[in-house]
Amino acid sequence: MTQHMLLLGHTLLFSGNPLSQNWEDTVSIDSTGGVLIKDGHIAEVGSADALRKAYPTAQITDYGDALICPGFVDAHAHYPQTAIIASWGKRLIDWLNRYTFPEEMRLSDPDYAREIAGRYLDLTLAHGTTTVSSYTTIAPHSVDAIFDAAATRGQRIVAGKTCMDRNAPEGLRDTAQSAYDDSKALIDRWHGKGRASYAITPRFTPTSSPEQLAALGTLWSERPDCLMQTHLSEQVDEIAWVRDLAPHARDYLDTYEEHGLLGDRAVFGHAIHLEPREIDQIAGSGASIVHCPTSNTFIGSGLFDMAGLAARYIPIGLATDTGGGSSFSMLRTMAAAYEIGQLRGTPLHAAQLIWLATAGSARSLHLHDKIGSLAPGFEADITVLDLSSTPAIAQRANNAETIWDQLFATIMMGDDRAIQDVWVGGKKRT
Ligand code: GUN
Ligand code: ZN
């Protein structure tokens, strides 16, 4: 008989989307909760007492005052940029040329790609992130490296070969045909294998020719169960460049749309400076948008309109965008989302922030029936938060009126010290 594991503590529970309904009606915390794990999955969620009685032989971990959450889901990251995170002084295009492309070139060495993939997943797990959707480099072995590293750690993962065939240095360009061929071979190798899924990944219009975008649109039509991830309307200079490159296009989104790269499994990173037509088309297609707040402030991109886009029922995920983003931590990322909401006059509640970092991100990646919630049948990816992880946080938590105030203090001031435990597929990481 397989051993049951029972985690006890405060449990975070979702019953709907707190961006489109009152958060009180959709997010709750059971202060005497329990999560029963069996065979890598969540078997039951309920009250600690009832679960103890029903499963007297279960192996118990009592987390006391800690908050048992779904593992964090980072819906947009670039693992190859791990070693150049927090590079000073550039905006998007110069930052890509000065820091990003040279580092991505270094991953032409398969050993270095493997080293960075492992380092990246260890760092993000230490910050409570159990699933990422990552860009890679143009090198197919960089895709193998991250899928291999995730499989070794038992993690659910989304990744795809970053395709670019123009406006990138020699040695960091593929072609329309090789992007199609390599992506297709990687889909065959990885998509649906274990906990892996593939995202067809044109980097963005400035670095993908119309021919490459068309080839990847064809590939997506042949493999519609894959995600398609790319960047959209991140920075004003980038949008002006796209207008120069594609003067016939109605707007930035149109440069993807005209090649079949808009649909409900499309995932657009950033999407800050959208035109009304773009918002209508995204809303109508069912595509997701991923908010990358630390990146948007760090590279100086702008203030994302969470409230406006959520009002259109567009699925929204949350992400670090490492290493344009300045942190590996989804706690820090939630804090930055709060701050951007403040600057727009629409602050997010702690319940909305933690939902975005878990179920919201999972929904944006179409993984919301597998991860992102503590519910029966879900994969047992769990992050346990210590809500008093430092003296500064503990003194604020002691003075809190509700557990939401405690959680908010950890969101605003917490880091990897707040991550008490991480469970991946029902196994505790040590
Ligand atoms: N746009 C195209 N590539 C990138 C990237 O690597 N990071 C960010 N933030 N934006 C991009
Ligand atoms: Zn990005």
Side-chain angles (χ1 to χ4, degrees):
M1 202 184 89
T2 35
Q3 173 74 49
H4 289 88
M5 254 122 18
L6 182 53
L7 315 190
L8 305 179
H10 291 75
T11 47
L12 178 68
L13 306 170
F14 301 136
S15 61
N17 177 344
L19 296 183
S20 51
Q21 290 162 268
N22 285 336
W23 72 262
E24 291 99 329
D25 298 334
T26 52
V27 185
S28 61
I29 292 176
D30 181 347
S31 59
T32 54
V35 178
L36 186 80
I37 300 174
K38 190 186 172 210
D39 296 332
H41 285 72
I42 295 171
E44 280 188 48
V45 176
S47 83
D49 280 351
L51 289 169
R52 269 182 199 272
K53 281 203 190 84
Y55 299 92
T57 61
Q59 189 182 321
I60 291 177
T61 308
D62 191 343
Y63 285 114
D65 289 337
L67 181 63
I68 304 173
C69 307
F72 298 150
V73 180
D74 184 341
H76 177 129
H78 300 254
Y79 93 79
Q81 298 169 17
T82 297
I84 54 111
I85 193 168
S87 291
W88 185 83
K90 302 285 182 205
R91 291 169 67 91
L92 179 59
I93 307 305
D94 292 339
W95 173 84
L96 285 170
N97 287 316
R98 166 72 179 82
Y99 299 118
T100 307
F101 291 161
E103 180 63 14
E104 292 191 10
M105 198 99 80
R106 293 185 68 201
L107 275 81
S108 305
D109 172 359
D111 288 339
Y112 187 62
R114 273 192 292 275
E115 178 188 335
I116 293 295
R119 186 192 303 176
Y120 171 76
L121 289 182
D122 288 341
L123 283 167
T124 47
L125 277 167
H127 286 85
T129 298
T130 48
T131 289
V132 300
S133 183
S134 186
Y135 290 59
T136 60
T137 76
I138 64 152
H141 67 245
S142 75
V143 187
D144 293 331
I146 192 74
F147 278 129
D148 269 332
T152 302
R153 291 162 180 75
Q155 286 182 257
R156 182 161 284 287
I157 177 95
V158 181
K161 185 190 109 80
T162 295
C163 301
M164 42 183 186
D165 66 346
R166 65 174 175 180
N167 296 315
E170 181 67 37
L172 210 55
R173 289 193 303 267
D174 52 16
T175 66
Q177 189 65 45
S178 73
Y180 174 93
D181 293 341
D182 289 344
S183 301
K184 189 172 185 167
L186 287 161
I187 292 169
D188 290 340
R189 193 171 317 148
W190 291 109
H191 186 59
K193 299 283 157 60
R195 303 187 74 192
S197 45
Y198 195 88
I200 295 167
T201 308
R203 181 174 214 121
F204 68 158
T205 295
T207 54
S208 285
S209 67
E211 294 72 29
Q212 179 166 88
L213 294 172
L216 295 175
T218 301
L219 179 60
W220 198 25
S221 71
E222 293 163 356
R223 304 292 165 90
D225 52 326
C226 291
L227 296 174
M228 190 291 300
Q229 62 181 357
T230 190
H231 296 86
L232 177 67
S233 291
E234 178 178 2
Q235 207 159 92
V236 172
D237 292 356
E238 169 208 10
I239 297 166
W241 192 13
V242 169
R243 199 171 296 124
D244 284 349
L245 288 167
H248 63 280
R250 287 169 288 186
D251 43 46
Y252 194 160
L253 182 69
D254 201 24
T255 64
Y256 298 126
E257 204 178 336
E258 67 178 331
H259 297 300
L261 295 171
L262 177 65
D264 79 326
R265 298 183 87 82
V267 185
F268 294 104
H270 302 288
I272 300 170
H273 310 281
L274 296 177
E275 304 284 343
R277 192 199 81 87
E278 295 178 298
I279 297 172
D280 289 346
Q281 289 302 100
I282 292 171
S285 70
S288 305
I289 288 176
V290 178
H291 177 33
C292 308
T294 71
S295 171
N296 298 164
T297 52
F298 184 76
I299 317 188
S301 300
L303 303 179
F304 182 76
D305 184 12
M306 175 75 72
L309 296 168
R312 300 295 304 271
Y313 300 101
I314 294 170
I316 299 172
L318 189 66
T320 59
D321 191 29
T322 297
S326 54
S327 174
F328 296 104
S329 167
M330 289 299 285
L331 289 171
R332 174 74 196 100
T333 303
M334 292 178 233
Y338 174 77
E339 289 162 350
I340 288 179
Q342 281 287 55
L343 288 168
R344 294 200 67 114
T346 51
L348 290 158
H349 190 270
Q352 296 171 313
L353 293 165
I354 197 128
W355 179 88
L356 274 167
T358 54
S361 279
R363 167 64 188 89
S364 74
L365 301 173
H366 291 258
L367 295 174
H368 51 295
D369 57 344
K370 297 181 173 63
I371 56 170
S373 296
L374 302 180
F378 278 63
E379 296 166 359
D381 291 349
I382 292 170
T383 289
V384 183
L385 289 181
D386 174 357
L387 299 181
S388 300
S389 59
T390 67
I393 298 173
Q395 62 85 34
R396 178 63 185 88
N398 282 338
N399 192 37
E401 283 176 19
T402 69
I403 191 163
W404 294 112
D405 299 334
Q406 292 182 34
L407 174 60
F408 186 61
T410 284
I411 287 173
M412 295 310 300
M413 298 196 287
D415 54 28
D416 51 340
R417 290 169 290 179
I419 309 303
Q420 185 163 334
D421 263 338
V422 178
W423 294 73
V424 175
K427 293 205 176 74
K428 192 167 92 161
R429 293 244 338 147
T430 47

